[in-house]
Amino acid sequence: MAPILRSPFRSTISVAAALALLMNGLVLTVPAHAQSQGPASVADLAEPLLDAVVNISTSQKVKETGKGPVPQVPEGSPFQEFFKDFFDGEREQKGGQKVNSLGSGFVIDPKGFVVTNNHVIEGADDIEVVFPNGSKLKATLVGTDTKTDLSVLKVEPKAPLKAVKFGDSRAMRIGDWVMAIGNPFGLGGSVSVGIISARGRNINAGPYDNFIQTDAAINKGNSGGPLFNMKGEVIGINTAIISPSGGSIGIGFSVPTELAQNIVNQLIEFGETRRGWLGVRIQPVTDDVSSSLGLDSTKGALISGVVKGGPVENGPIEAGDIVLTFDGKPVNEMRDLPRVVAESPVGKEVDVIIVRDGKQQTVKVTLGRLDDSASASDETTSEEPTDGDTGNDMTQQDDGAPMGDDQLTDGNDEPQNVLGMQLVKLTDDLRTARGIASSVEGVLVESVTDGSVAADKGVKSGDIIVEVGQDFMEVPGDVMVRVNGLKSEGRKNAHMMIADAQGNLRFVALPLE
């Protein structure tokens, strides 16, 4: 008689032990009711949630592009009537064809507020919410946020709707079980279960990417549907998948409620988002930048410039500062800062922990309001030149001979060649000839040697060196002295603040070795 083994989900005996018992002629038996059991069922969890998950059906008029010439059919041909009816019918469809699309959404308020993805309803002329019982209601667009791909719709129900509530996505951990409900391929309410595979994913979908990654099956048509925790709370809005075929391969992404909930509330209250604004330009804290500043880690966001007229102009934050914490939230990398600033209320005074001149300090800033219609108003990133091989490890004179510290004098306004850059004093004539703004001060980069460390880091003719090692540079000799001073201190990189002709700043770390 063949042995009867317990389900692998309930087994308390190893396979090796089971085989040993089998070889000894023993038979394993389990109670009859246990033989049909598998993993713990999610039926009780899913059942009350299904009624709150809806199908979003949209239609959009597409302008007719023309069908080509009508075929000529001989008079009396048996196909004459067929072609006549077909093409006459096409001509009667004035205003173009209608294209339909399907997505998912969920009710968050019994009064009829529905959340979905912006890309589900974008460009739609008509939006219809289809409920699990088959009933349909026309929906109006309350508000949308393209930067997080979220939209809120409103329907007018005759009776209160079944709604679900938001949970705290911050409490979720990698490995926690989650459940997705949606309408894959327009099939109607479907349930899939998986775990949180990763958090804080950046898939380059927008400036505030902070996706939850899950292996719960998410397919075309699931967009806009909810991702639930095991308490039945929405902790994410399913938005995107990675798939070469268009179907689920176990890599799906959801907008976490820590980002989405505030946006949804603002869309309902104001019909638009009202994000906090710091008014700075930022760039990454790279290993080179960290080394040039003598920092122990590469955490934070480097302030490369301050926007004119912004909340911190002439205020507590300056170019060259590194932001480590904003309003109690850690800024581990550059992309964290725009997100935590945007999530903060307009007008709020917050504490910001920065590093300035190698020392940590706390400053207070009051946030302005981000104007989403003006791209220049966002917390923007400056271009960070890509790392390259160091092509020059010595500071050189014009003739190419190495120059020692004893040959340098501070305040020398004669042209100097430093790290492959030919530097000259910024005179009024050069300012006019190069079209350099009157507000820009520093030392002019007249030319850059191909293959030099400066060229590899993206420094180009017409740039202005404003600071080296956080010291202001006035003449070429200042740059030479500061670079050699950093080298004598054992620094591996020279941290430079560089401006373009319009005064836009960026930071570059030039290797000294």
Side-chain angles (χ1 to χ4, degrees):
M1 179 179 177
I4 301 174
L5 300 178
R6 292 185 179 184
S7 163
F9 296 98
R10 301 293 185 184
S11 178
T12 57
I13 185 170
S14 69
V15 173
L19 289 174
L21 291 172
L22 178 62
M23 292 176 66
N24 289 324
L26 299 176
V27 176
L28 300 178
T29 58
V30 293
H33 73 274
Q35 296 177 22
S36 61
Q37 288 186 359
S41 173
V42 295
D44 290 340
L45 175 66
E47 185 175 6
L49 303 176
L50 284 166
D51 288 341
V53 181
V54 298
N55 192 350
I56 307 295
S57 175
T58 66
S59 62
Q60 180 180 5
K61 291 181 181 178
V62 179
K63 188 177 180 180
E64 196 68 62
T65 57
K67 297 290 184 181
V70 177
Q72 298 298 313
V73 182
E75 189 70 27
S77 166
F79 297 105
Q80 185 177 15
E81 288 301 317
F82 170 77
F83 281 109
K84 181 178 184 299
D85 291 343
F86 179 79
F87 284 99
D88 285 349
E90 287 291 306
R91 291 191 188 98
E92 290 172 2
Q93 291 184 3
K94 297 180 180 179
Q97 295 181 326
K98 274 193 173 184
V99 176
N100 298 312
S101 64
L102 296 173
S104 301
F106 56 99
V107 181
I108 59 164
D109 189 310
K111 296 178 182 179
F113 287 104
V114 177
V115 175
T116 187
N117 282 145
N118 172 65
H119 75 260
V120 170
I121 54 86
E122 189 172 22
D125 296 310
D126 296 297
I127 306 172
E128 194 171 53
V129 174
V130 184
F131 293 87
N133 62 6
S135 63
K136 302 177 181 179
L137 289 175
K138 291 289 185 182
T140 57
L141 180 61
V142 175
T144 192
D145 179 53
T146 58
K147 291 184 177 179
T148 55
D149 196 22
L150 295 175
S151 292
V152 175
L153 309 176
K154 181 68 169 65
V155 296
E156 299 299 335
K158 293 181 179 179
L161 299 174
K162 182 65 181 294
V164 291
K165 63 180 182 178
F166 286 122
D168 185 5
S169 61
R170 295 181 181 88
M172 302 301 293
R173 300 185 302 163
I174 295 173
D176 280 345
W177 287 99
V178 289
M179 180 175 67
I181 301 181
N183 299 279
F185 304 105
L187 293 174
S190 297
V191 178
S192 59
V193 177
I195 63 169
I196 291 180
S197 306
R199 293 180 50 108
R201 286 298 198 209
N202 178 15
I203 61 173
N204 296 315
Y208 309 121
D209 279 15
N210 186 32
F211 287 99
I212 293 172
Q213 180 183 327
T214 179
D215 65 354
I218 297 174
N219 289 286
K220 184 178 180 180
N222 275 106
S223 289
L227 187 70
F228 292 100
N229 60 19
M230 291 296 103
K231 297 178 182 178
E233 300 168 332
V234 178
I235 50 89
I237 294 92
N238 300 322
T239 298
I241 61 173
I242 291 179
S243 172
S245 64
S248 173
I249 60 171
I251 305 177
F253 301 97
S254 301
V255 180
T257 54
E258 63 193 84
L259 176 62
Q261 187 171 4
N262 185 47
I263 291 169
V264 168
N265 290 339
Q266 288 186 4
L267 291 177
I268 292 174
E269 184 175 358
F270 308 115
E272 61 182 359
T273 53
R274 298 186 178 182
R275 292 187 169 95
W277 178 44
L278 194 58
V280 295
R281 288 183 291 273
I282 57 176
Q283 67 182 69
V285 179
T286 63
D287 289 338
D288 288 346
V289 168
S290 176
S291 174
S292 67
L293 293 175
L295 302 178
D296 296 330
S297 67
T298 57
K299 290 184 177 181
L302 176 60
I303 306 298
S304 62
V306 177
V307 177
K308 277 191 174 182
V312 295
E313 183 186 19
N314 301 320
I317 292 182
E318 303 172 357
D321 291 345
I322 294 177
V323 178
L324 299 179
T325 303
F326 186 90
D327 197 19
K329 301 172 184 176
V331 179
N332 293 317
E333 51 186 312
M334 180 190 72
R335 69 185 183 91
D336 291 338
L337 184 59
R339 177 174 51 82
V340 297
V341 170
E343 291 173 359
S344 301
V346 176
K348 182 180 180 181
E349 185 181 67
V350 299
D351 289 334
V352 183
I353 298 177
I354 62 171
V355 174
R356 181 181 298 166
D357 298 330
K359 298 178 181 178
Q360 229 181 82
Q361 56 182 287
T362 301
V363 298
K364 289 186 178 294
V365 300
T366 301
L367 295 178
R369 180 184 172 186
L370 174 64
D371 182 2
D372 281 337
S373 65
S375 59
S377 298
D378 204 352
E379 316 302 344
T380 56
T381 60
S382 300
E383 290 187 3
E384 175 70 358
T386 55
D387 291 341
D389 295 333
T390 57
N392 187 355
D393 61 359
M394 294 289 287
T395 304
Q396 303 265 320
Q397 288 180 322
D398 290 343
D399 60 4
M403 177 176 277
D405 285 345
D406 57 341
Q407 295 173 272
L408 304 177
T409 57
D410 194 5
N412 185 356
D413 59 5
E414 293 299 314
Q416 305 287 342
N417 191 294
V418 182
L419 301 176
M421 300 176 291
Q422 184 66 22
L423 307 178
V424 297
K425 184 177 180 180
L426 182 57
T427 63
D428 291 339
D429 290 342
L430 284 173
R431 186 185 295 276
T432 301
R434 296 272 189 162
I436 298 171
S438 59
S439 60
V440 179
E441 298 291 345
V443 177
L444 178 65
V445 179
E446 187 176 50
S447 62
V448 179
T449 303
D450 290 341
S452 65
V453 292
D456 289 343
K457 289 294 186 178
V459 181
K460 58 186 180 298
S461 175
D463 284 343
I464 299 93
I465 298 177
V466 180
E467 292 183 0
V468 178
Q470 299 183 319
D471 288 345
F472 175 70
M473 299 290 106
E474 188 173 3
V475 294
D478 294 343
V479 180
M480 184 73 81
V481 168
R482 190 70 178 107
V483 166
N484 280 273
L486 291 171
K487 192 171 183 181
S488 66
E489 293 172 8
R491 295 287 181 89
K492 295 181 179 180
N493 300 280
H495 184 66
M496 296 188 180
M497 178 193 289
I498 295 179
D500 62 15
Q502 290 74 44
N504 297 312
L505 300 175
R506 71 182 190 277
F507 288 88
V508 176
L510 298 187
L512 297 176
E513 298 180 343

